[in-house]
Amino acid sequence: MRKNICYASCIMNYFVFLHQQIMILLYLMTKFFIYLALSLSALSVNAQTTAAHMFESMPDSLCPFFNISVRKQMVESALEGKKDSVNNILNSKSIITWVSDDYICVQTSRSASLQLRILSRYDSSSILCFVRTVYAPEPESIWTFYDLQWNRLDGSFGLPNLEEVLVDKGGIVNILSQFTCCPDTIDYDHYMELRSFLDPVMLHGSFSFDEPVLTIGLSTPMLGRDDRNDVEAILLQRKFKWNGEIFKEY
């Protein structure tokens, strides 16, 4: 009798163990299929997302020159290969100068432009780099980052920190050091004098049409022709390429 009880107890423990293993397996399979569904959904969203689509859907606060209906009209015209311009709220002309799957460049007015680049990440997601440039008359750019729902992302992702330039004197000195050099034909004191002409410090950036490369340089403020030529001799342009995580200089 005792042997039968022990045998029955072993069988019961076995079925309890088996039930636990099955529940664990079901739990892991459920998590796997949820992850797979989310991944496929993200891939589907990224596959359907183009720079033109993001330009259409961008908040009016980021592009107050025209509303979504006008932006859609501009995109439709550009995708048809037309170079039609539209009137914006400033009563000037706006036109898409370049559009591809992951990049769009828009001349929003005679004194402003915007660029939007979709950047693919290692985890198959994407973010947006939004570059706004004003010409007064020298170009000055601001770059910011967003997710695909137009939520602002923190950080500069490897690019020069513009907020640091605006609020920190040390940051200004750092930017001047990064984007100027002292040629062999100029002595150091004259180089530092020319650097002092770069006030205010203004950076401008422009994306390559066919790859995620942002070229950044310093703009020259209102200078005479001779001073401008001398200052341009010490300026450097730097190129930053997206590597799936951040921009790296190359």
Side-chain angles (χ1 to χ4, degrees):
M1 177 66 72
R2 183 176 298 173
K3 184 180 293 186
N4 291 337
I5 292 174
C6 291
Y7 179 70
S9 176
C10 289
I11 292 176
M12 181 63 70
N13 289 336
Y14 172 75
F15 279 110
V16 169
F17 172 77
L18 184 61
H19 179 265
Q20 290 175 340
Q21 296 303 308
I22 291 174
M23 294 303 295
I24 293 173
L25 180 60
L26 289 174
Y27 172 73
L28 293 175
M29 289 179 64
T30 301
K31 289 191 66 175
F32 170 75
F33 283 115
I34 290 175
Y35 174 78
L36 180 62
L38 292 175
S39 299
L40 290 176
S41 176
L43 288 173
S44 177
V45 169
N46 287 336
Q48 297 172 8
T49 300
T50 64
H53 169 74
M54 296 309 303
F55 173 65
E56 291 178 356
S57 65
M58 70 190 307
D60 290 344
S61 59
L62 294 178
C63 190
F65 291 92
F66 23 67
N67 58 31
I68 186 171
S69 62
V70 176
R71 293 198 295 272
K72 285 184 175 181
Q73 176 187 342
M74 294 175 67
V75 167
E76 182 179 349
S77 174
L79 292 178
E80 291 177 352
K82 300 176 182 177
K83 292 291 185 179
D84 296 339
S85 60
V86 299
N87 291 321
N88 57 47
I89 62 172
L90 300 179
N91 200 29
S92 62
K93 298 293 185 179
S94 300
I95 187 171
I96 295 176
T97 57
W98 187 273
V99 62
S100 62
D101 286 345
D102 63 350
Y103 174 68
I104 188 169
C105 181
V106 184
Q107 190 70 38
T108 51
S109 71
R110 285 177 294 182
S111 59
S113 66
L114 67 83
Q115 301 172 75
L116 182 61
R117 171 77 71 178
I118 298 176
L119 303 170
S120 299
R121 309 184 79 175
Y122 287 135
D123 61 2
S124 299
S125 65
S126 297
I127 63 173
L128 308 170
C129 182
F130 182 41
V131 180
R132 286 171 288 186
T133 303
V134 294
Y135 305 86
E138 298 299 322
E140 182 174 17
S141 300
I142 296 175
W143 36 86
T144 47
F145 295 87
Y146 299 85
D147 64 19
L148 297 186
Q149 288 71 48
W150 284 106
N151 297 308
R152 176 77 179 269
L153 301 176
D154 295 329
S156 58
F157 292 86
L159 296 179
N161 190 326
L162 299 177
E163 293 181 358
E164 180 184 75
V165 174
L166 294 175
V167 302
D168 182 12
K169 185 176 180 180
I172 292 176
V173 173
N174 185 39
I175 290 296
L176 289 174
S177 298
Q178 292 180 53
F179 289 91
T180 63
C181 69
C182 182
D184 295 337
T185 56
I186 298 177
D187 65 68
Y188 184 75
D189 289 338
H190 186 40
Y191 160 70
M192 293 301 293
E193 179 187 9
L194 293 175
R195 250 178 55 161
S196 69
F197 293 163
L198 295 166
D199 185 22
V201 173
M202 301 185 301
L203 290 172
H204 61 88
S206 181
F207 270 113
S208 299
F209 293 145
D210 55 352
E211 58 180 343
V213 173
L214 186 66
T215 301
I216 300 176
L218 281 167
S219 293
T220 54
M222 302 297 291
L223 296 174
R225 179 176 297 179
D226 292 340
D227 287 338
R228 180 185 297 274
N229 290 337
D230 290 342
V231 168
E232 287 179 349
I234 69 170
L235 298 183
L236 289 176
Q237 283 195 335
R238 300 174 62 193
K239 292 187 176 183
F240 298 83
K241 187 171 185 177
W242 180 254
N243 67 1
E245 183 179 4
I246 62 171
F247 282 94
K248 295 279 288 186
E249 186 174 8
Y250 82 111

